[in-house]
Amino acid sequence: MKKVSNRMDLARTYLSNTQIHMSTGALTRVRPDWGGTNIIQGENVLYFFLEGEGWLKINNIEYYPVPGELFLVPAGTRISCSTDESHPFLTYWCHFTATVGENNLFDLLITPHCIAMRNDETIKNQFQELITQHESDGLAAPFIVKSLLFHMMSRFIERSTVDPLQTASIPSVHKLYIVLQYIEKHLTEQMTVDMLSQLVHFHPKYFLHYFKSMLGVSPIVYINKKRMQKANSLLLHSDMTIAEIAEQLGMQTPYLSRMFKRFTGFSPNEFRQQHRMSQRL
């Protein structure tokens, strides 16, 4: 059971670095001649069908969408589709990218192409809000769009029955898991790029490029982020002093304080006091 837990933890760690961006979307009554054959999808696409009849063929599997079904078509997928001329589809749709480092999320994670949401008004409301916010000039709009897309993606990930580390069969991802597992086990110790690169037999310069291409940040930034997450937890759930926390993380107290404020905007003491004050309210 512990091994499975570790695998899930590593998968979550990797997926937590996903970056998502919506390029376009709308509510559309498709034209009677809508569709095509063997189209290679350039971006990930979501479809939420409200009305109409027709069919989709995704990677040689045929689907006949009914109202309330949510479809995900990953980038690079071969798709054919058509609609009934007398009863064309009415569908919400959006194009988006989802990447982990330089990799398309759905090259690394296998999810269903379709999930039934027939009795769930939430998705319809979310699509309405998604399109509204995508067209909005509001300062918070990009954050709301990302939040909605992440929530929709979570539905597909939750429905996936695939081992989350099936991605580890891809050599580059397997090597990343080796490094991430080592970092998790040695957070209290000093780690260098040379040391981490040796774990996967890479030249240090190539390892730097590889790590950043996979996670979007350098190894040092990633390690510091994990240490600050650990410090966060200890500040909230223990009575350890700042010096004791720094020692447990293998850091000098002043360095921990500077790093924590850089990541959170608060000093460790301020962060702990804010939390305790909120608990009293």
Side-chain angles (χ1 to χ4, degrees):
M1 183 65 76
K2 180 68 173 177
K3 184 176 181 181
V4 172
S5 176
N6 287 340
R7 290 161 68 85
M8 288 293 292
D9 288 344
L10 287 170
R12 283 193 291 265
T13 296
Y14 186 58
L15 295 179
S16 69
N17 289 276
T18 300
Q19 300 295 315
I20 200 162
H21 173 74
M22 177 177 170
S23 56
T24 186
L27 171 63
T28 302
R29 172 77 69 180
V30 303
R31 292 169 32 174
D33 60 352
W34 175 80
T37 303
N38 289 328
I39 302 166
I40 301 296
Q41 196 62 56
E43 290 185 315
N44 307 304
V45 185
L46 283 171
Y47 293 105
F48 184 58
F49 291 94
L50 301 178
E51 297 178 14
E53 298 177 14
W55 61 277
L56 301 176
K57 189 175 185 180
I58 306 172
N59 286 340
N60 294 319
I61 301 175
E62 290 190 3
Y63 299 90
Y64 295 87
V66 298
E69 287 187 335
L70 180 65
F71 278 79
L72 169 64
V73 184
T77 300
R78 191 177 296 276
I79 179 173
S80 301
C81 51
S82 182
T83 191
D84 187 297
E85 292 185 6
S86 62
H87 193 198
F89 286 128
L90 175 65
T91 180
Y92 281 107
W93 58 273
C94 77
H95 289 216
F96 68 101
T97 59
T99 56
V100 186
E102 296 177 358
N103 302 289
N104 180 16
L105 172 65
F106 302 109
D107 287 342
L108 307 171
L109 186 71
I110 301 172
T111 64
H113 289 302
C114 172
I115 54 178
M117 313 295 297
R118 297 188 186 97
N119 298 317
D120 192 341
E121 285 291 310
T122 303
I123 288 292
K124 181 178 178 180
N125 295 335
Q126 286 179 335
F127 260 108
Q128 290 173 339
E129 183 69 4
L130 184 70
I131 292 165
T132 298
Q133 293 296 332
H134 181 65
E135 296 172 350
S136 169
D137 294 327
L139 184 62
F143 290 93
I144 298 172
V145 167
K146 290 177 187 291
S147 174
L148 290 167
L149 281 173
F150 273 124
H151 189 267
M152 292 180 189
M153 290 304 93
S154 71
R155 292 177 177 267
F156 284 94
I157 292 171
E158 288 168 350
R159 301 288 181 96
S160 176
T161 58
V162 178
D163 183 332
L165 287 194
Q166 181 150 329
T167 57
S169 63
I170 303 172
S172 61
V173 179
H174 176 66
K175 289 181 181 294
L176 178 66
Y177 285 135
I178 292 172
V179 175
L180 295 185
Q181 191 171 38
Y182 181 88
I183 290 172
E184 286 288 336
K185 290 181 178 179
H186 298 83
L187 269 182
T188 62
E189 303 171 17
Q190 294 300 312
M191 287 177 274
T192 66
V193 170
D194 283 352
M195 182 188 304
L196 296 175
S197 64
Q198 289 174 15
L199 293 172
V200 288
H201 309 292
F202 284 165
H203 187 280
K205 287 186 177 179
Y206 177 76
F207 176 76
L208 276 172
H209 170 76
Y210 157 79
F211 193 97
K212 193 165 185 178
S213 73
M214 295 296 286
L215 290 181
V217 295
S218 70
I220 300 305
V221 169
Y222 178 82
I223 291 168
N224 284 334
K225 179 181 176 183
K226 297 298 292 184
R227 285 174 173 160
M228 293 308 100
Q229 289 172 348
K230 180 68 173 178
N232 181 307
S233 178
L234 292 172
L235 285 165
L236 296 182
H237 305 297
S238 81
D239 293 322
M240 295 173 66
T241 66
I242 309 305
E244 288 170 339
I245 293 173
E247 182 178 359
Q248 180 157 334
L249 293 174
M251 305 171 74
Q252 297 294 320
T253 304
Y255 183 68
L256 168 64
S257 296
R258 290 197 304 272
M259 187 64 61
F260 193 85
K261 189 162 188 176
R262 185 184 304 170
F263 273 82
T264 68
F266 298 96
S267 71
N269 276 323
E270 289 170 341
F271 182 80
R272 176 174 268 171
Q273 289 167 7
Q274 289 262 1
H275 174 70
R276 287 178 177 172
M277 287 176 60
S278 68
Q279 294 294 98
R280 298 191 191 104
L281 297 177

